[in-house]
Amino acid sequence: MVSRKPPDGGWGWVIVVVSFFTQFLCYGSPLAVGVLYLEWLDAFGEGKGKTAWVGSLANGIGLLASPVCSICVSSFGARPVAIFSGFMVAGGLMMSSFAPNIYFLYVSYGIVVGLGCGLLYTATVTITCQYFDKRRGLALGLISTGSSVGLFIYAALQRELIELYGLDGCLLIVGALSLNILACGSLMRPLESSSSPPSEKMFVDKVPDQYFVYHEKEKTVEENISILEKGYIDEKCVNNVPDGKQDSILNTNALSSINVNEKDTYKKKVVEQTNFCKQLAKRKWQLYLTYWKETMVLFKNKVFSALFVAILLFDIGGFPPSLLMEDVARSANISEDDYYMPLISIIGIMTTVGKLILGILADFKWVNTLYLYVTTLLMTGVALFAIPFAKSYLTLAMLSGILGFLTGNWSIFPYVTTKTVGIEKLTHAYGILMFFAGLGNSLGPPIVGWFYDWTQEYNTAFYFSGFCVLLGGFLLLLAALPCWNACTNQSSKLPPNTYSYKVASNA
């Protein structure tokens, strides 16, 4: 079956709209979990580090399981995965309303909702890429803003629902809203093939005879085994009866001799099939070895090695503000009357702006995307260092906006990865980097929460966060400097299909 050329429009725009709302509905609550975090602290009385695991798992588990999510979408298609994941997200949110303790939330909200979000993200990106080629960047940019808009709206929505219906009622209502993902998923129609799919018989005719087991008769393996067993029983009976009765027995069991021949044929085909399976297993093993060899080759690229360290440290230090900023304001004794807008909502709307502006800048030929990404990392580290000095709502709102804008560097991260490893290895490298990003998302908030439990203030925690992000930025900058690459290129060659910094700087 030959896939049709991406139409770059038509039903593709419907895919963009439903993918936008899918990410809006599934990521709205997990990204705005900081509002729920305060309620869980009061409801269960656990430490900040232990409670922060709920939100960090919900945001990190999808990235950690990205290889599994990709396999599911490739095997079953975007539409079935989206519908199934919609049930997961809605069910996880509703189950969380009945949570008796924080450990229940780890499973219901952290794992179930988080894994559902990861599956939905993979499904929306995959189906969008199938429908768009020339306008793929625009389409992916539009659907990626769904999560940021969801963060902006759900932060205020969940706070209002908690005031009206309590924490349990809020989670039930948000879970019910997530059921709209089922409607969005049903509209993710797969791209039709250019011609009608060939019949099953055409595929069968193309398979060599030696790959069939007992192809003379269209019987299952169980039927063949039953035939053989019947042949053994009949043969034994014939050998144990008097000669006068053997003729009648042979007449009634005339197939016994045929079954013996079938037994020999079956054995022959089993041997052939066994050899085929051995060759297939050997080939699969070679593919796994090739995968790990390619992974090792990627890490020989110093820029890629620095990039994976940078993304890990960035998510450890840069993700906690979106989860803990509301608690930072409460710890600073800022009155709720001074709140004009939830700080998480400010982060959400500015992340949307950051994704758009940074994405546009990355398209200019005179802009070095790697330097642009490093700049966002260094500025994020400085902003994190400034949080302990913010003692009013206005200063916290300004820092939230700056951090939200800089977090929009996710939109240029694929550009940076492509210029680092090349388009041929983009998928492989991006999966590895997303795994470490998920690891950082999962570890960051609990580490910051543990710092608070240890020191009873957030200053040390955000100094640590700022240091992590700055360290990652400086390591990436050092690896990308032309003088460093000049020295490296003289001592050893870069792996094939990789880009030196000089190539990246000319992009």
Side-chain angles (χ1 to χ4, degrees):
M1 182 171 60
V2 180
S3 298
R4 206 180 80 190
K5 183 180 179 181
D8 278 306
W11 190 260
W13 294 117
V14 177
I15 297 296
V16 170
V17 173
V18 298
S19 297
F20 171 89
F21 280 106
T22 297
Q23 292 201 17
F24 170 85
L25 292 168
C26 73
Y27 276 106
S29 181
L31 289 178
V33 72
V35 176
L36 304 176
Y37 172 75
L38 298 177
E39 302 299 323
W40 287 330
L41 283 174
D42 298 335
F44 301 114
E46 300 286 354
K48 294 181 185 294
K50 185 181 291 187
T51 307
W53 270 112
V54 180
S56 62
L57 284 174
N59 287 278
I61 199 71
L63 294 174
L64 288 171
S66 56
V68 177
C69 298
S70 299
I71 292 173
C72 291
V73 175
S74 300
S75 302
F76 304 105
R79 178 192 284 176
V81 170
I83 294 175
F84 175 77
S85 304
F87 281 112
M88 285 186 65
V89 173
L93 289 170
M94 293 180 181
M95 286 169 56
S96 299
S97 65
F98 303 101
N101 51 55
I102 199 69
Y103 303 102
F104 187 92
L105 286 174
Y106 289 164
V107 178
S108 63
Y109 198 98
I111 296 178
V112 176
V113 175
L115 186 57
C117 290
L119 288 168
L120 286 169
Y121 176 81
T122 306
T124 54
V125 170
T126 301
I127 192 70
T128 302
C129 290
Q130 291 175 357
Y131 271 86
F132 288 90
D133 183 15
K134 295 180 181 179
R135 300 179 180 177
R136 184 174 295 170
L138 174 62
L140 291 175
L142 290 174
I143 69 170
S144 67
T145 59
S147 58
S148 302
V149 175
L151 169 59
F152 171 71
I153 294 179
Y154 268 74
L157 175 64
Q158 290 185 146
R159 172 176 289 182
E160 189 67 24
L161 290 175
I162 289 172
E163 293 180 358
L164 294 175
Y165 305 104
L167 177 61
D168 297 343
C170 170
L171 289 170
L172 284 173
I173 294 173
V174 171
L177 288 175
S178 299
L179 289 173
N180 289 287
I181 297 174
L182 306 181
C184 295
S186 64
L187 295 174
M188 293 181 185
R189 186 174 66 195
L191 190 63
E192 297 177 357
S193 61
S194 56
S195 59
S196 59
S199 62
E200 184 178 355
K201 187 177 183 303
M202 292 176 62
F203 288 109
V204 173
D205 293 339
K206 294 181 181 180
V207 180
D209 289 343
Q210 61 267 27
Y211 294 159
F212 282 104
V213 176
Y214 197 59
H215 62 89
E216 286 81 3
K217 295 179 180 293
E218 295 181 355
K219 295 183 175 73
T220 63
V221 175
E222 290 77 7
E223 290 174 329
N224 293 331
I225 294 174
S226 65
I227 290 173
L228 293 177
E229 292 177 348
K230 185 176 183 296
Y232 292 139
I233 295 172
D234 292 342
E235 185 178 5
K236 184 176 180 181
C237 292
V238 170
N239 293 330
N240 292 333
V241 299
D243 295 337
K245 296 183 179 181
Q246 286 185 4
D247 293 337
S248 60
I249 294 175
L250 290 174
N251 290 333
T252 57
N253 299 291
L255 292 177
S256 61
S257 61
I258 298 177
N259 289 332
V260 173
N261 294 330
E262 289 176 344
K263 170 190 172 184
D264 296 335
T265 303
Y266 181 74
K267 286 183 176 180
K268 180 180 178 182
K269 298 307 177 182
V270 167
V271 172
E272 293 175 351
Q273 182 70 5
T274 302
N275 292 331
F276 171 72
C277 292
K278 289 181 178 178
Q279 292 296 326
L280 182 62
K282 183 178 180 181
R283 185 176 302 176
K284 290 290 185 182
W285 178 250
Q286 291 296 331
L287 290 175
Y288 287 126
L289 290 179
T290 302
Y291 175 86
W292 288 111
K293 288 179 181 178
E294 291 179 352
T295 302
M296 294 300 102
V297 169
L298 286 175
F299 282 100
K300 291 181 180 179
N301 183 347
K302 290 182 173 57
V303 178
F304 177 82
S305 299
L307 189 61
F308 105 84
V309 174
I311 191 65
L312 175 64
L313 294 176
F314 172 75
D315 279 276
I316 288 177
F319 176 67
S322 63
L323 175 62
L324 304 173
M325 192 60 80
E326 297 293 330
D327 192 49
V328 171
R330 186 168 72 171
S331 300
N333 297 320
I334 296 176
S335 174
E336 293 185 359
D337 297 334
D338 297 333
Y339 270 66
Y340 301 101
M341 182 184 297
L343 296 175
I344 299 179
S345 294
I346 297 175
I347 293 176
I349 195 64
M350 290 304 297
T351 300
T352 306
V353 175
K355 286 180 178 179
L356 295 175
I357 294 180
L358 293 174
I360 293 172
L361 287 175
D363 286 332
F364 289 108
K365 294 182 178 181
W366 52 269
V367 174
N368 184 305
T369 52
L370 185 58
Y371 274 156
L372 180 62
Y373 185 75
V374 170
T375 302
T376 60
L377 295 183
L378 298 178
M379 293 179 65
T380 300
V382 174
L384 289 171
F385 272 114
I387 290 179
F389 301 98
K391 301 300 181 182
S392 65
Y393 172 82
L394 181 60
T395 53
L396 283 176
M398 292 176 60
L399 289 173
S400 298
I402 293 172
L403 289 170
F405 179 87
L406 297 173
T407 305
N409 61 7
W410 275 100
S411 64
I412 64 173
F413 190 71
Y415 287 79
V416 177
T417 308
T418 303
K419 295 302 179 183
T420 302
V421 302
I423 190 64
E424 297 87 358
K425 296 185 178 181
L426 174 61
T427 304
H428 188 181
Y430 199 72
I432 296 172
L433 294 173
M434 287 301 99
F435 176 84
F436 285 104
L439 186 62
N441 272 347
S442 300
L443 295 177
I447 290 175
V448 172
W450 288 332
F451 268 109
Y452 184 93
D453 295 336
W454 179 37
T455 62
Q456 294 302 310
E457 44 88 16
Y458 275 115
N459 295 351
T460 305
F462 282 104
Y463 290 149
F464 169 80
S465 298
F467 173 77
C468 287
V469 178
L470 284 176
L471 177 61
F474 278 121
L475 288 176
L476 184 57
L477 178 62
L478 179 63
L481 287 177
C483 59
W484 173 260
N485 280 274
C487 298
T488 305
N489 291 334
Q490 290 177 0
S491 60
S492 62
K493 293 182 178 180
L494 285 173
N497 295 328
T498 56
Y499 287 74
S500 66
Y501 173 74
K502 184 177 180 180
V503 175
S505 63
N506 291 331

